Amino acid sequence: MSQITPEQMEKLLEMAASRLNTTPDKLKQTLAQNGLEGALSQQDAARAQAMLEDKDKLSALLADPSVRRFLNQLLG
């Protein structure tokens, strides 16, 4: 997989911020200061971390057609 460009990262931050009801700048600051756990609820952060650590779950997520479309759009 190729590197994410700054423009793609901004787009991702905008999409994530919209879902989390915050601004991209606030989300970026929160992530920089507190990592993923600071941006998500404790329960969501734990679920995300568990998925990232489970290769089977991560593979299933990446195989999902909607996730593939999103990644293709994001990575251009």
Side-chain angles (χ1 to χ4, degrees):
M1 191 177 281
S2 63
Q3 289 277 48
I4 296 176
T5 66
E7 293 81 16
Q8 292 167 331
M9 182 58 73
E10 287 301 317
K11 185 175 180 180
L12 180 59
L13 281 169
E14 288 174 12
M15 292 169 59
S18 173
R19 294 229 174 185
L20 295 169
N21 296 317
T22 189
T23 66
D25 289 335
K26 285 183 183 179
L27 178 57
K28 188 185 296 186
Q29 182 180 16
T30 299
L31 289 170
Q33 291 175 348
N34 305 315
L36 185 60
E37 292 80 13
L40 301 174
S41 71
Q42 202 170 29
Q43 181 182 12
D44 287 341
R47 287 176 38 207
Q49 188 64 39
M51 181 170 284
L52 292 173
E53 292 173 356
D54 185 324
K55 289 182 181 182
D56 292 333
K57 286 183 181 179
L58 188 55
S59 293
L61 176 68
L62 294 174
D64 184 288
S66 62
V67 173
R68 304 268 324 152
R69 280 192 302 275
F70 170 73
L71 291 174
N72 285 334
Q73 287 177 339
L74 180 65
L75 297 175

